[in-house]
């Protein structure tokens, strides 16, 4: 009675349709126009030379900036038309971001840094603390819970930043050059962490100019040149 193969519908966490971004009205757009769909569970690496539009793309997906043309749908929501207030809330609840220079708050402990986004979305302190504890254990930074970020190594700080990004179980984890400020060994730690998260089903967009990192972490790579998609390949590096 039951069909052995049920039709599968792909859930897209990101859908860009006809998206272009111009910073000034003259000349070619910094990005696009382009279409891009990223499925749930994909780990997408975005590579390309400096100035090719990688950060512009990430900022549009994060709702940190708006397209000049086209529509941006993330986790089922059209975000290009949301109010600033609604966007900020959407970002807090559904998007986790990791940056090259960690962007941790130096006067909060590691545990408080990780809990902060949960508290900002109204999670009770107890629950936020429990979730932070779980993540610190997972990322092996539990022993630094009460330390301040300034005391930690770059690799440890980036793991704290990843924990903070994950505290609200985001639909999407965005990382802009997350190993760019790390030594080789710490960079490999962060790479392994991203691989584990991808294996666990986390949807990830990783901007990097490090092709080895892209190859190690990503199930798919896109390459931007002058704001256009020059290459889009699905790789089998992880599975
Ligand atoms: N806020 C901005 N104002 C004006 N031009 C910008 C701005 N941000 C980026 N650009 C331009 O858009 C293009 C793409 O930039 P960006 O997305 O930062 O590239 P990448 O991250 O690949 O280095 C570049 O030509 C850059 O100078
Ligand atoms: Mg950039």
């Amino acid at each position: 009675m039951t069909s052995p193969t049920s039709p599968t519908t792909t859930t897209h966490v990101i859908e860009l349709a006809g998206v272009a971004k111009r910073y000034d009205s003259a000349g070619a757009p910094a990005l696009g126009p382009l279409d891009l769909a990223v499925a749930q569970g994909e780990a997408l690496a975005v590579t390309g030379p400096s100035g090719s539009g990688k950060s512009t793309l990430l900022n549009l997906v994060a709702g940190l900036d708006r397209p000049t043309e086209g529509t941006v749908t993330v986790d089922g929501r059209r975000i290009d038309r949301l109010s600033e207030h609604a966007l900020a809330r959407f970002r807090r609840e559904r998007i986790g971001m990791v940056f090259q220079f960690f962007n941790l708050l130096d006067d909060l402990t590691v545990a408080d840094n990780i809990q902060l986004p949960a508290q900002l979305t109204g999670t009770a302190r107890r629950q936020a603390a429990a979730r932070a504890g779980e993540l610190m254990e997972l990322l092996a930074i539990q022993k630094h819970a009460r330390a301040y970020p300034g005391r930690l190594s770059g690799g440890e700080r980036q793991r704290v930043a990843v924990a903070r990004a994950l505290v609200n179980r985001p639909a999407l984890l965005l990382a802009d050059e997350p190993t760019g400020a790390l030594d080789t060994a710490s960079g490999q730690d962060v790479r392994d962490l991203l691989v584990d998260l991808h294996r666990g089903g986390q949807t990830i967009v990783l901007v990097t100019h490090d092709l080895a990192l892209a190859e190690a972490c990503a199930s798919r790579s896109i390459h931007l040149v002058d704001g256009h998609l020059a290459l889009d390949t699905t790789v089998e590096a992880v599975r």
Side-chain angles (χ1 to χ4, degrees), residues 23-24 30-31 48-57 65 176 207 224:
Y23 292 104
D24 55 57
L31 183 73
S50 178
S52 60
K54 304 183 297 296
S55 293
T56 299
L57 176 64
D65 207 348
D176 199 345
V207 165
L224 292 178

Side-chain angles (χ1 to χ4, degrees), residues 47-214:
T47 62
S50 178
S52 60
K54 304 183 297 296
S55 293
T56 299
L57 176 64
L58 208 71
N59 290 341
L60 292 176
V61 169
L64 291 168
D65 207 348
R66 296 173 195 272
T68 319
E69 291 165 35
T71 63
V72 179
T73 307
V74 178
D75 192 32
R77 290 278 296 278
R78 263 289 294 276
I79 64 164
D80 50 283
R81 294 269 176 78
L82 290 180
S83 69
E84 287 302 322
H85 180 77
L87 257 185
R89 182 174 168 165
F90 178 81
R91 268 201 307 274
R92 281 201 303 267
E93 292 179 350
R94 305 307 296 149
I95 309 257
M97 284 196 87
V98 180
F99 305 92
Q100 182 171 1
F101 295 106
F102 327 122
N103 296 15
L104 297 169
L105 296 174
D106 286 332
D107 53 354
L108 293 184
T109 64
V110 162
D112 285 341
N113 263 281
I114 297 170
Q115 282 174 52
L116 186 63
Q119 291 180 263
L120 290 174
T121 55
T123 308
R125 200 184 164 85
R126 240 181 113 94
Q127 260 178 292
R131 171 70 176 149
E134 188 182 301
L135 285 165
M136 287 189 286
E137 220 162 282
L138 184 73
L139 303 189
I141 44 177
Q142 186 73 3
K143 61 178 181 289
H144 302 301
R146 295 201 175 128
Y148 289 87
R151 306 271 312 265
L152 307 185
S153 71
E156 288 163 346
R157 283 188 229 189
Q158 197 59 299
R159 277 185 282 160
V160 174
V162 171
R164 180 184 57 180
L166 295 174
V167 75
N168 288 333
R169 304 178 198 279
L172 186 57
L173 177 66
L174 303 176
D176 199 345
E177 298 284 3
T179 63
L182 301 180
D183 59 54
T184 309
S186 309
Q188 280 169 2
D189 276 358
V190 168
R191 181 194 69 193
D192 293 347
L193 175 55
L194 292 173
V195 169
D196 283 348
L197 292 171
H198 172 46
R199 287 197 176 127
Q202 177 70 52
T203 310
I204 300 172
V205 178
L206 164 68
V207 165
T208 182
H209 63 255
D210 180 347
L211 294 178
L213 177 69

